[in-house]
């Protein structure tokens, strides 16, 4: 299974999910996308920039009391139209999966599917 | 065929009603149309409805006056289905008709002015003055839909404050800035408030920067949840210039985000249409 196929599987497996993309937090680049419709590149970039911004804020403020492994790996951003869930890899902290859904409850399933995507990437590396 | 099928899917009773109304007005005699435009508003809601209708139908630049029985209460310029300018006699009304005004500030000022005129002056009506000339593209241009959305927030009171009331018992600490930062509320243990103050400084710096998110950030409301300590999440809710920062437990974040959507959500109408391409 390729990364793109993993993203397709994730989109169809998460109820109310319309878009899944895989990208790089360091460069802010979207590398793979699976979506129900076509989207402007500008829209995809805005979504990953939202992930970059929120993880930056989280990292700047995080107090881990020496428990680095406890550091958070998911961010939720709600807008009036949708819910954006961002999950980054624990191993390579610049790998991120961005998911656009219609409900916040999707976060647990998104996190579970995302681990599969990151596992696939680590196998390829 | 596929496009026609999709178009049928998005057809709604409201769209049909609006289109029927627009076609009826298009077919009216000139005198009837002028009488229709001069429909008298009984309160600010009916004034807003009349103004929204005129904005929505104005493609070419038009100048209009809001008339009471004995005075011109305000003049407005519409073009390309947007309100470009609104000038009132009210000296307390801030002048937002300039390019250095942020769109949401202008929309809020327009909505407040319309509300004030509608509430204070009985029986005002719109009258076309003529074509407007020498119009420049302005950042303060505001669509009827956006004006309506902003006006709704005036009706509902402060939405960030409403959201805060919903989550207050679950928040371990909070900082809330309302009325463009003039009203500040804060409560919680010192260790949490120090973190939230730092977050407020970062948020202010991000909002002031010219990044790719700048456009999204300006036009909409949003709420973020991200970890700031093991088991603790920060909630950042913004609406225009109002801001709520709160610290909550991990297990409460999903329910809190749903609460935000109850106050600010569009009920699953989907992504912003102009950001999505057709099939």
């Amino acid at each position: 299974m390729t990364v793109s196929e993993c993203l397709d599987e994730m989109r169809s497996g998460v109820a109310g999910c319309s878009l899944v993309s895989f990208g790089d937090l360091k460069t802010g680049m979207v590398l793979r996308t699976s979506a129900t419709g076509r989207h402007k590149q500008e829209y995809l970039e805005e979504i990953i920039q939202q992930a970059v911004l929120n993880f930056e804020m989280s990292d700047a403020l995080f107090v881990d009391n020496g428990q680095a492994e406890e550091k958070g790996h998911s961010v939720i951003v709600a807008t009036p139209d949708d819910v954006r869930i961002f999950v980054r890899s624990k191993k390579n902290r610049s790998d991120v999966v961005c998911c656009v859904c219609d409900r916040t409850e999707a976060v647990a399933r998104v996190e579970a599917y995302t681990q599969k995507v990151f596992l696939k990437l680590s196998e390829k590396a | 065929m596929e496009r026609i099928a999709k178009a049928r899917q998005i057809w709604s009773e409201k769209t049909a009603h609006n289109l029927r109304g627009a076609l009826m007005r298009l077919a009216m005699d000139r005198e009837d149309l002028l009488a229709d435009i001069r429909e008298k508003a009984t309160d600010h809601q009916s004034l807003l409805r009349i103004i929204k209708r005129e904005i929505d139908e104005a493609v070419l630049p038009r100048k209009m006056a809001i008339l009471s029985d004995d005075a011109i209460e305000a003049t407005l310029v519409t073009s390309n289905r947007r309100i470009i300018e609104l000038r009132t006699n009210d000296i307390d009304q801030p002048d937002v008709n300039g390019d250095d005004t942020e769109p949401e500030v202008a929309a809020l000022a327009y909505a407040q002015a319309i509300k004030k005129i509608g509430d204070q002056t009985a029986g005002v009506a719109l009258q076309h003055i003529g074509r407007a000339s020498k119009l420049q593209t302005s950042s303060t241009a505001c669509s009827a839909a956006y004006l309506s959305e902003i006006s709704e927030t005036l009706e509902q009171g402060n939405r960030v404050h409403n959201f805060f009331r919903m989550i207050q018992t679950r928040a371990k600490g909070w900082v809330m800035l309302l009325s463009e930062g003039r009203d500040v509320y804060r409560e919680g243990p010192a260790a949490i408030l120090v973190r939230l103050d730092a977050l407020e400084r970062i948020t202010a710096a991000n909002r002031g920067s010219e990044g790719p998110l700048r456009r999204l950030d300006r036009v909409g409301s949003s709420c973020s949840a991200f970890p700031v300590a093991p088991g603790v999440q920060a909630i950042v809710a913004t609406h225009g210039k109002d801001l709520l920062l709160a610290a909550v437990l991990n297990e409460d974040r999903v329910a809190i985000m749903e609460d935000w959507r109850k106050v600010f959500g569009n009920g699953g109408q989907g992504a912003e249409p102009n950001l999505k391409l057709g099939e």
Side-chain angles (χ1 to χ4, degrees), chain A residues 16-20 43 47 82-85 98-102, chain B residues 271:
Chain A
C17 174
S18 57
L19 184 147
V20 182
Y43 176 64
I47 286 176
D82 54 38
V83 176
R84 296 157 188 195
I85 300 164
C98 309
C99 192
V100 178
C101 300
D102 65 1

Side-chain angles (χ1 to χ4, degrees), chain B residues 11-29:
Chain B
W11 187 260
S12 69
E13 279 301 312
K14 194 180 168 197
T15 313
H17 178 77
N18 290 343
L19 183 59
R20 202 176 297 122
L23 287 171
M24 282 174 68
R25 278 165 65 81
L26 197 63
M28 274 181 182
D29 290 336

Side-chain angles (χ1 to χ4, degrees), chain B residues 164-179:
Chain B
F164 167 68
R165 281 198 302 235
M166 290 172 88
I167 71 161
Q168 188 173 3
T169 55
R170 286 167 286 172
K172 304 299 163 198
W174 63 83
V175 173
M176 182 163 57
L177 287 88
L178 305 177
S179 311

Side-chain angles (χ1 to χ4, degrees), chain B residues 84-87 94-101 106 110 138 140:
Chain B
I84 304 288
E85 183 184 294
L86 176 72
R87 294 189 187 279
D95 184 8
V96 293
N97 300 301
D99 267 344
D100 35 356
T101 307
Y110 296 154
S138 166
T140 60

Side-chain angles (χ1 to χ4, degrees), chain B:
Chain B
M1 287 301 284
E2 194 186 345
R3 284 194 176 189
I4 293 169
K6 289 208 168 177
R8 279 184 184 146
Q9 281 171 10
I10 59 166
W11 187 260
S12 69
E13 279 301 312
K14 194 180 168 197
T15 313
H17 178 77
N18 290 343
L19 183 59
R20 202 176 297 122
L23 287 171
M24 282 174 68
R25 278 165 65 81
L26 197 63
M28 274 181 182
D29 290 336
R30 187 173 180 275
E31 287 307 311
D32 289 343
L33 184 60
L34 287 174
D36 194 43
I37 291 165
R38 282 196 294 265
E39 177 191 352
K40 286 201 169 178
T42 50
D43 55 19
H44 74 267
Q45 282 166 331
S46 54
L47 178 60
L48 180 69
R49 179 180 53 77
I50 294 166
I51 291 173
K52 271 168 38 193
R53 186 181 63 191
E54 294 306 318
I55 296 171
D56 247 349
E57 291 182 3
V59 177
L60 296 174
R62 282 184 200 167
K63 197 166 186 182
M64 283 175 269
I66 302 174
L67 299 174
S68 63
D69 286 341
D70 46 26
I72 294 176
E73 300 295 332
T75 57
L76 58 113
V77 175
T78 58
S79 177
N80 199 20
R81 302 185 69 214
R82 275 167 169 68
I83 180 167
I84 304 288
E85 183 184 294
L86 176 72
R87 294 189 187 279
T88 71
N89 301 325
D90 186 352
I91 52 166
D92 294 334
Q93 184 69 28
D95 184 8
V96 293
N97 300 301
D99 267 344
D100 35 356
T101 307
E102 299 214 342
E104 68 268 23
V105 175
L108 184 63
Y110 296 154
Q112 282 170 333
I114 292 165
K115 187 172 189 308
K116 197 168 179 182
I117 294 168
D119 283 341
Q120 291 182 351
T121 317
V124 288
L126 267 191
Q127 181 156 324
H128 283 208
I129 300 175
R131 280 198 175 185
S133 56
K134 292 181 184 169
L135 279 186
Q136 291 183 334
T137 308
S138 166
S139 64
T140 60
C142 166
S143 69
Y146 192 42
L147 184 63
S148 184
E149 189 187 314
I150 293 282
S151 301
E152 210 174 291
T153 65
L154 294 179
E155 297 296 315
Q156 291 169 344
N158 188 290
R159 288 209 279 178
V160 170
H161 193 249
N162 291 348
F163 169 59
F164 167 68
R165 281 198 302 235
M166 290 172 88
I167 71 161
Q168 188 173 3
T169 55
R170 286 167 286 172
K172 304 299 163 198
W174 63 83
V175 173
M176 182 163 57
L177 287 88
L178 305 177
S179 311
E180 304 206 355
R182 288 192 300 273
D183 301 331
V184 182
Y185 305 86
R186 45 194 290 122
E187 198 171 315
I192 288 179
L193 288 177
V194 166
R195 294 271 131 206
L196 295 179
D197 285 339
L199 180 56
E200 199 264 316
R201 287 192 293 275
I202 295 172
T203 309
N206 286 339
R207 286 163 74 86
S209 70
E210 294 289 338
L213 273 175
R214 182 82 175 123
R215 189 175 65 82
L216 272 187
D217 196 36
R218 276 156 65 132
V219 296
S221 314
S222 70
C223 183
S224 303
F226 51 80
V228 284
V232 182
Q233 297 270 319
I235 299 289
V236 180
T238 60
H239 177 60
K241 293 196 168 177
D242 294 340
L243 175 69
L244 170 65
L245 308 170
V248 303
L249 297 178
N250 267 0
E251 55 265 36
D252 289 330
R253 74 168 173 166
V254 169
I256 284 174
M257 297 303 273
E258 278 304 310
D259 285 342
W260 184 88
R261 285 176 49 87
K262 280 177 198 156
V263 179
F264 288 93
N266 286 338
Q269 286 171 15
E272 209 177 342
N274 63 346
L275 292 175
K276 201 169 176 178
L277 294 174
E279 293 276 24

